[in-house]
Amino acid sequence: MRLWHFAVCLCLVFSSYGFAAPKDQRNRGAELFTVAGCQHCHTIRNVGGHKGPDLSGVGRILTKAKIREQILHGGKQMPPFTDELEPAEVNDLVAYLRSCRQKSKTSQATSGLALDKGISH
């Protein structure tokens, strides 16, 4: 019985650690987003620049792989950051950006307009 209790406690400790790690990673990514200057071009939740796209809902739209690819290789007007960021930093940014799931104002406005006209999605 004691061994079973110990095993359950051990599982709880490791599972809570597993949940804490991604939150820490997201927090580091959020800090890096500001420190690395991403905020100069990109907006998240109405804070930041407007040169690049609003990333408030990027986590609902792009996969981890697509976000990583965009950060590392750039595209359109965004420069690549392969040489500027460490792999752990890229992982942190990806975790943070995947957590950004707020609907954009345009999709909220479209939803509101559709509701006003009695159209359902």
Side-chain angles (χ1 to χ4, degrees):
M1 184 70 166
R2 281 186 159 179
L3 184 58
W4 186 80
H5 249 303
F6 178 73
V8 169
C9 289
L10 195 59
C11 285
L12 288 173
V13 167
F14 283 114
S15 66
S16 66
Y17 176 75
F19 288 119
K23 184 177 182 183
D24 290 344
Q25 190 176 34
R26 288 191 306 268
N27 289 340
R28 287 191 308 268
E31 183 178 340
L32 183 60
F33 186 85
T34 302
V35 172
C38 306
Q39 212 171 18
H40 293 292
C41 295
H42 297 284
T43 299
I44 293 182
R45 295 178 201 92
N46 298 320
V47 177
H50 299 287
K51 184 176 181 181
D54 183 338
L55 299 178
S56 299
V58 72
R60 289 183 310 107
I61 300 164
L62 298 180
T63 64
K64 287 180 184 180
K66 289 289 185 183
I67 294 172
R68 180 180 311 285
E69 182 179 326
Q70 185 68 34
I71 292 169
L72 293 175
H73 304 294
K76 299 191 181 185
Q77 294 180 3
M78 182 174 161
F81 287 92
T82 304
D83 297 333
E84 285 81 14
L85 298 171
E86 297 294 323
E89 293 174 318
V90 174
N91 291 340
D92 294 344
L93 276 173
V94 169
Y96 170 61
L97 292 171
R98 281 290 294 164
S99 74
C100 296
R101 297 179 168 273
Q102 182 180 27
K103 287 188 176 183
S104 68
K105 287 184 179 184
T106 54
S107 89
Q108 287 175 349
T110 305
S111 295
L113 183 62
L115 290 175
D116 289 343
K117 293 184 176 185
I119 301 168
S120 62
H121 293 289

